[in-house]
Amino acid sequence: MSDLTEEYQLEYFREEGFVRRECPDCGDHFWTRDEERELCGEPPCEEYGFIDDPGFDEAYSLTEMREAFLSYFEDHGHERIDPYPVAANRWRDDVLLTQASIYDFQPLVTSGRTPPPANPLTVSQPCIRMQDIDNVGKTGRHTMAFEMMAHHAFNAREDLEDPDQYAYEGEVYWKDRTVELCEGLFEDLGADIEAITYIEDPWVGGGNAGPAIEVIYKGAELATLVFMSMEQDPDGEYELKDGNRYSPMDTYIVDTGYGLERWTWMSQGTPTVYEAVYPEAIAFLKENAGIEHTDTQEDLIHRAAKLAGRMDIDEAEDMATARGEIADRLDVDVERLEALMEPLEEIYAIADHCRTLAYMLGDGIVPSNAGTGYLARMVLRRTKRLVDSVGVDAPLDELVDMQAERLGYRNRDTVRDIVRTEVEKYRETLERGGRRVEGLAEEYAERDDPIPLEEIIELYDSHGIQPDTVEEIAAEYGAAVEVPDDFYSLVASRHGGGALDDGSEGVDDRVVDLPGTEKLFYEDQERTEFEAVVLDVIERPDAGEDGGTLYDVALDQTMFYPEGGGQPGDTGTLATDDLTAEVVDVQEADGVVLHRADADPGKGEFVRGQIDATRRRRLMRHHTATHVIGHAAREVLGDHIRQAGAQKGTESARLDVTHYDRIDREAVKTIERVANDMVRENLAVTQEWLDRNDAQANYGFDLFQGGIPAGTEVRVVTVGDDVQACAGTHVGRTGELGAVKILGTERVQDGVERLVFAAGDAAITTTQRTEDALYEAADTLDVDPPAVPDTAERFFEEWKARGKRIEELKEQLAEARAQGGESGEELDLGDATAVVQRLDADMDELRATANALAEEGTVAVIGSGVDGATFVVAVPDGVGINAGEVVSELAGRVGGGGGGPPDFAQGGGPEAEALDDALEDAPDVLRRKLEA
RNA sequence: GGGCCCAUAGCUCAGCGGUAGAGUGCCUCCUUUGCAAGGAGGAUGCCCUGGGUUCGAAUCCCAGUGGGUCCA
């Protein structure tokens, strides 16, 4: 077994006269030009040495520093590329947010399947790390949003037998050049390169690993140089810090990260990073919140900030303890320090959070209850709480907009609209929650009990109310609340970890060995017949719907479109001279199209393929219509509209789009109109294979609506102004759609709306179905279709009025019966009288009659033979008979049951024929109950 | 992607197998006529939709629709 020590013996270090040392404090090995140096230079071994003593020649703003970095690397042979969105889930499904520049190139570029946009390249990539959220503002150095400046080089081993297997070849540069470039940058900025230390710190992550170097200057880690060159391998020769074994890869990648904010901070030497990065925002917020400091206070803040930078808040779990220690060192009162620092910390956090929101919303993330949208919602709500707590009265959308403007976003109106909508939603949630808590607090305060933990968890988990909010409100009502320290892990335990089902079917070995199928459907989308050779037939382990055996037939070429991109696979037939096999489904695995058929045409046979042309045409129309609808929706609702999913069928299709509000009827009609304008213009639908990096550079990230495909080339489908990477089949011109009809919308989740629509003959069919329903309703009401709404309303109103009238009449009837003589025979029970009567009416009438009798002071036993046998028994006040018991006994005789309160009960059973017998026994039952 | 919660009068909600309720708003009258006035009376419900269980469902079960919320 070997470790990575050898990997750090750089030619560059030798030539430049570096020495390798071991830090006596932390034990790390590092390289330095300074022979006298003992410590590694990284906190906590050493302190920040740049506060009030900047490490570069000049002070740089964020923008200036970014430009200095990018142009330095441009001057040294790197191509500058545009940053990617912060929503990393737009090109990979394993993460939500972009947390490092290398995320831009995972997994397709790093694995060598897709070429990088340039090589070598430099980028300043906006990143968001939610992990640090609690530290933001407090430590002086943590930010949630940051830009990772980077230079990357993608190398492939030069001694490979088959260099073509990767999308890039040969070595661009490796470790020596990387360190040299890094040091050159320091020199350019006027740093004292003698003071830089390079700490050996092997990197492991996501199945890859390699040597890495932390670059420390004046106590701050300014860069990390990662040399990704190994992959996890049980038989690998290197065992690394995660306990796994690794072996070298064919590709090796220079992955660097330079924190833009830290470099800017270093150049200014301000007490905290925030003052260096957001000077305008902080000045604005301070003024708005009315925060002013005397010179002595200012001095104290300055001294406290320096100490805050030294504290490792991650380890000092408890903020209060950390604060206490700082107060001790400064020899001031903790309360005084806290009163001074807390508003400032909140303002720092607000500035950072607003920038985070600007990135998220500007890049098209729509707040939601799921995915990245949920993270955006969390940040927004947290920010709103901070803004309220510190007393800033500027609307949140304005604060976010300030950052969006600075970052150069163009969709600022939409961003503001989203923020306003979200703030309003949050307000409603708080209001709802507040009422709920008040109710609970009152209840428990009355009983003098503390509000149980279960309730607190329920309030948070189901209603989104923070425990401290509950405490606040509860205190007003004098109710106690106990929130344990591990509250949030208790909540987490409520969400039992569901087992991940990995949907990967596992590709059959025989399929892997087959050559990729030639896809004829891209060459001519109108053709429906073809001839092919059967390369292999694999019997499916699972039977078809009717129990018959199914076979996966692989051909050398095919017209059958395999399921993909929301378009179902084609159906049709494969015929030899001897038999015709029905193709019920078509899938693709590893480049091989598998025709799932109900018969085995025989390996090596010639087959004539015929696809179901009508079905295919409908699917094609719906696929093109999906692009048209998506484009129309974006035009009508805004640029944040993106595809969140799609499914095409023969009768209709659906497109899920990201949107922060319900799509109302008016918007639906407008989208429908715009879509049909596109149809009437009869736009050409073109399909071409383009170099992916060119296409991405031309059309931007919005090109990829339905996921990111691998490869050097992408298939691009253009419909008018709409351009998308798409592998599906399409009609030639939009005119072939005939008409597009939106059938409805539904909310899939918060922030995602589903548009259901139909095109062509399907649009006609579905519209006719809706019309049929209307005509039928009109026919029933005996009016013309346009009169249906008014008539329906009138009928409904009348129906309700009639119901009320009937109620009234039943009451009157009941009273008349009770007072009139027809109320059966009276029965003397001694203390009271009773009436036993059969009255074939519904339950309402029975109840009314029994009540009326009871009000007259008579015990009432009424039985009905309508719909089985039912009884109602009413007992006046002061009579010692339990109505429930009487009913229970009577109902038992008709095969049922019953019950109710002692003064009024009802019941019944299915045996109507036993009703009269039961009523005859009723007087006996009453007497017995009275005696009991 | 998963979990949990909710749907009842115009509004806010209670009721959780046995005659649909409260507060507020609304209408009428009285007392008054100043800042959330007081008193008396009254009207207002497909208890979200569809199935099921039951003698009986607003109430229990299942599905759907609409909303809320937490987690990854």
Side-chain angles (χ1 to χ4, degrees):
Chain A
M1 177 174 73
S2 70
D3 62 17
L4 295 173
T5 309
E6 274 305 303
E7 296 282 331
Y8 295 100
Q9 299 290 334
L10 302 191
E11 192 62 36
Y12 180 79
F13 285 154
R14 227 183 335 269
E15 281 171 8
E16 296 286 319
F18 277 76
V19 288
R20 182 173 189 257
R21 288 280 147 83
E22 179 174 341
C23 179
D25 272 17
C26 64
D28 283 348
H29 290 94
F30 64 95
W31 294 79
T32 173
R33 289 174 187 272
D34 180 3
E35 302 225 4
E36 309 295 311
R37 177 178 271 280
E38 287 196 358
L39 297 170
C40 66
E42 187 181 25
C45 302
E46 281 181 49
E47 300 184 5
Y48 283 170
F50 61 95
I51 309 275
D52 294 329
D53 180 20
F56 301 139
D57 281 350
E58 286 171 47
Y60 289 77
S61 70
L62 206 63
T63 312
E64 291 163 349
M65 182 56 79
R66 183 192 301 117
E67 185 52 37
F69 179 93
L70 293 172
S71 53
Y72 168 85
F73 280 97
E74 260 181 336
D75 291 345
H76 290 80
H78 293 70
E79 190 174 319
R80 182 194 298 220
I81 65 157
D82 287 334
Y84 281 46
V86 291
N89 61 339
R90 285 176 66 176
W91 68 89
R92 48 193 295 191
D93 51 18
D94 55 337
V95 291
L96 295 175
L97 294 169
T98 308
Q99 298 204 357
S101 59
I102 194 68
Y103 277 39
D104 298 356
F105 314 109
Q106 290 169 319
L108 294 176
V109 179
T110 50
S111 65
R113 289 201 291 162
T114 295
N119 199 10
L121 59 82
T122 183
V123 65
S124 186
Q125 175 59 48
C127 298
I128 293 172
R129 288 194 182 169
M130 300 283 291
Q131 303 91 295
D132 294 335
I133 193 162
D134 289 321
N135 285 326
V136 175
K138 296 203 162 70
T139 61
R141 65 176 183 278
H142 282 101
T143 60
M144 188 156 51
F146 64 97
E147 282 183 45
M148 182 179 283
M149 304 186 292
H151 51 112
H152 294 285
F154 302 89
N155 308 297
R157 236 167 254 299
E158 286 173 349
D159 54 3
L160 294 174
E161 275 179 33
D162 177 16
D164 288 345
Q165 63 178 305
Y166 298 112
Y168 37 90
E169 289 180 38
E171 180 170 300
V172 181
Y173 63 78
W174 192 228
K175 291 180 282 192
D176 293 280
R177 179 65 179 153
T178 303
V179 177
E180 188 182 353
L181 283 165
C182 175
E183 207 157 59
L185 176 67
F186 273 101
E187 265 187 304
D188 263 24
L189 295 172
D192 171 16
I193 59 168
E194 290 273 324
I196 303 173
T197 51
Y198 297 87
I199 301 176
E200 298 177 5
D201 180 31
W203 169 86
V204 172
N208 293 107
I213 295 171
E214 284 180 9
V215 186
I216 313 293
Y217 179 54
K218 291 193 147 215
E221 181 189 342
L222 284 190
T224 307
L225 312 174
V226 177
F227 304 101
M228 189 195 288
S229 55
M230 294 187 278
E231 61 193 345
Q232 211 169 316
D233 173 5
D235 306 322
E237 60 176 310
Y238 298 97
E239 181 176 329
L240 299 184
K241 57 186 176 187
D242 67 343
N244 290 313
R245 306 188 76 85
Y246 290 82
S247 59
M249 299 189 288
D250 290 348
T251 58
Y252 52 110
I253 293 156
V254 174
D255 168 23
T256 64
Y258 298 64
L260 170 61
E261 290 70 20
R262 288 217 179 159
W263 284 71
T264 307
W265 186 20
M266 175 65 68
S267 82
Q268 294 189 22
T270 49
T272 68
V273 69
Y274 318 111
E275 280 134 329
V277 175
Y278 316 104
E280 313 88 357
I282 287 168
F284 174 87
L285 290 166
K286 266 178 161 170
E287 201 198 318
N288 189 295
I291 296 175
E292 282 174 26
H293 296 122
T294 62
D295 286 350
T296 29
Q297 285 177 322
E298 199 67 50
D299 178 59
L300 183 59
I301 291 166
H302 230 67
R303 287 190 291 141
K306 282 185 204 175
L307 288 175
R310 276 174 37 127
M311 311 284 307
D312 194 335
I313 304 274
D314 281 338
E315 279 174 28
E317 272 298 308
D318 185 355
M319 286 285 176
T321 316
R323 179 100 62 201
E325 272 175 47
I326 295 178
D328 277 355
R329 279 167 176 263
L330 295 171
D331 200 23
V332 293
D333 199 41
V334 184
E335 282 80 31
R336 200 178 136 222
L337 183 69
E338 184 159 298
L340 197 57
M341 296 304 294
E342 215 171 56
L344 269 182
E345 292 170 354
E346 290 180 343
I347 279 182
Y348 296 149
I350 292 168
D352 167 79
H353 291 6
C354 285
R355 179 177 169 207
T356 306
L357 285 170
Y359 276 139
M360 287 177 136
L361 306 178
D363 278 350
I365 295 177
V366 175
S368 160
N369 63 337
T372 49
Y374 179 65
L375 300 181
R377 174 167 287 170
M378 264 12 280
V379 175
L380 188 140
R381 293 186 171 187
R382 193 187 181 91
T383 313
K384 175 68 180 151
R385 284 198 293 275
L386 288 169
V387 163
D388 289 345
S389 149
V390 79
V392 170
D393 73 353
L396 192 55
D397 60 291
E398 205 166 288
L399 298 179
V400 174
D401 188 54
M402 280 170 65
Q403 298 294 328
E405 182 183 13
R406 208 176 57 109
L407 298 171
Y409 281 107
R410 283 197 221 132
N411 51 346
R412 283 164 52 203
D413 284 343
T414 307
V415 171
R416 291 188 76 145
D417 207 17
I418 292 175
V419 173
R420 275 192 296 264
T421 307
E422 269 302 298
V423 168
E424 176 58 21
K425 277 191 185 181
Y426 188 39
R427 198 189 60 74
E428 279 170 21
T429 295
L430 285 183
E431 210 176 275
R432 245 194 317 271
R435 282 194 297 263
R436 225 186 167 82
V437 179
E438 279 170 28
L440 274 173
E442 214 167 342
E443 185 188 330
Y444 284 99
E446 227 164 82
R447 280 193 275 161
D448 215 21
D449 281 341
I451 300 180
L453 181 60
E454 258 314 301
E455 298 276 14
I456 310 291
I457 294 178
E458 169 77 12
L459 281 170
Y460 176 70
D461 200 25
S462 299
H463 305 285
I465 306 156
Q466 242 69 20
D468 39 340
T469 310
V470 179
E471 268 176 328
E472 244 170 68
I473 298 172
E476 287 171 30
Y477 288 80
V481 176
E482 264 178 52
V483 182
D485 285 339
D486 60 345
F487 178 78
Y488 291 95
S489 59
L490 284 176
V491 174
S493 69
R494 257 190 148 196
H495 304 264
L500 287 170
D501 82 308
D502 79 302
S504 60
E505 248 178 79
V507 180
D508 195 303
D509 285 346
R510 287 165 71 184
V511 174
V512 175
D513 293 337
L514 291 168
T517 314
E518 193 183 335
K519 294 167 180 173
L520 301 172
F521 48 83
Y522 282 145
E523 286 162 27
D524 183 355
Q525 311 202 26
E526 304 298 318
R527 241 176 76 192
T528 58
E529 293 176 349
F530 66 102
E531 289 176 348
V533 178
V534 177
L535 298 185
D536 205 350
V537 178
I538 301 164
E539 192 178 323
R540 301 268 320 157
D542 46 329
E545 272 171 31
D546 52 4
T549 313
L550 287 178
Y551 304 87
D552 277 347
V553 182
L555 307 172
D556 61 335
Q557 56 176 15
T558 188
M559 284 302 304
F560 280 88
Y561 180 85
E563 183 177 355
Q567 180 176 336
D570 283 324
T571 58
T573 55
L574 294 174
T576 63
D577 291 339
D578 305 323
L579 64 83
T580 299
E582 289 285 335
V583 177
V584 294
D585 186 19
V586 185
Q587 296 289 329
E588 181 172 356
D590 210 33
V592 178
V593 177
L594 297 172
H595 305 74
R596 205 145 289 171
D598 66 353
D600 178 357
K603 189 172 173 177
E605 289 290 320
F606 277 94
V607 289
R608 287 179 309 280
Q610 165 78 51
I611 65 168
D612 181 335
T614 309
R615 182 182 132 93
R616 161 66 92 74
R617 282 220 70 78
R618 286 183 163 190
L619 292 173
M620 277 162 62
R621 275 197 290 262
H622 278 141
H623 204 143
T624 306
T626 303
H627 288 222
V628 169
I629 287 279
H631 188 76
R634 194 166 308 119
E635 203 155 288
V636 173
L637 300 171
D639 282 337
H640 59 285
I641 293 287
R642 256 201 307 280
Q643 177 174 323
Q647 184 63 47
K648 293 91 192 173
T650 52
E651 300 302 314
S652 67
R654 55 184 159 84
L655 172 67
D656 298 343
V657 297
T658 52
H659 186 51
Y660 52 92
D661 205 354
R662 297 306 312 263
I663 300 174
D664 60 27
R665 183 71 194 137
E666 275 315 302
V668 167
K669 286 199 264 190
T670 313
I671 293 170
E672 205 169 70
R673 209 172 303 130
V674 172
N676 281 290
D677 285 347
M678 291 174 71
V679 171
R680 236 170 299 119
E681 282 168 43
N682 198 21
L683 303 164
V685 180
T686 62
Q687 324 182 13
E688 53 188 337
W689 289 89
L690 297 178
D691 176 82
R692 72 175 297 124
N693 289 320
D694 289 349
Q696 197 174 321
N698 282 341
Y699 302 112
F701 238 91
D702 288 337
L703 184 65
F704 305 110
Q705 294 284 327
I708 306 258
T712 309
E713 296 201 311
V714 287
R715 188 160 176 277
V716 172
V717 173
T718 307
V719 185
D721 297 334
D722 184 76
V723 184
Q724 286 186 40
C726 175
T729 56
H730 288 267
V731 298
R733 304 194 75 91
T734 54
E736 290 179 48
L737 299 181
V740 183
K741 185 87 195 96
I742 296 178
L743 306 175
T745 63
E746 52 189 296
R747 198 191 69 147
V748 178
Q749 61 179 223
D750 213 6
V752 178
E753 289 289 313
R754 172 166 297 170
L755 288 159
V756 185
F757 56 91
D761 56 344
I764 302 296
T765 316
T766 48
T767 307
Q768 286 172 344
R769 211 172 292 149
T770 314
E771 283 175 340
D772 284 347
L774 176 63
Y775 288 136
E776 219 170 292
D779 201 41
T780 307
L781 295 174
D782 202 19
V783 296
D784 288 335
V788 166
D790 283 347
T791 310
E793 190 179 340
R794 206 187 78 224
F795 275 36
F796 188 49
E797 293 302 324
E798 279 178 15
W799 173 75
K800 286 194 287 189
R802 238 165 253 216
K804 249 174 281 175
R805 184 74 186 134
I806 291 170
E807 283 293 310
E808 282 167 24
L809 292 173
K810 277 181 187 166
E811 293 287 334
Q812 286 176 22
L813 181 61
E815 271 171 50
R817 272 201 198 107
Q819 284 166 0
E822 54 161 319
S823 55
E825 67 198 271
E826 289 213 353
L827 191 69
D828 191 4
L829 295 175
D831 291 349
T833 54
V835 170
V836 175
Q837 185 186 2
R838 175 165 176 157
L839 177 67
D840 286 332
D842 65 22
M843 194 53 110
D844 281 342
E845 220 171 314
L846 261 53
R847 269 201 302 250
T849 308
N851 271 330
L853 283 164
E855 259 167 51
E856 299 290 309
T858 317
V859 174
V861 176
I862 319 270
S864 161
V866 176
D867 193 23
T870 47
F871 300 100
V872 171
V873 175
V875 181
D877 288 345
V879 178
I881 293 179
N882 186 321
E885 288 174 16
V886 176
V887 159
S888 179
E889 184 158 342
L890 291 177
R893 301 183 189 208
V894 291
D903 60 331
F904 187 92
Q906 49 201 304
E911 297 158 17
E913 63 280 1
L915 175 64
D916 286 325
D917 288 346
L919 284 175
E920 246 169 67
D921 289 348
D924 288 345
V925 175
L926 287 174
R927 284 195 188 94
R928 252 187 292 125
K929 293 295 172 192
L930 186 62
E931 284 158 18

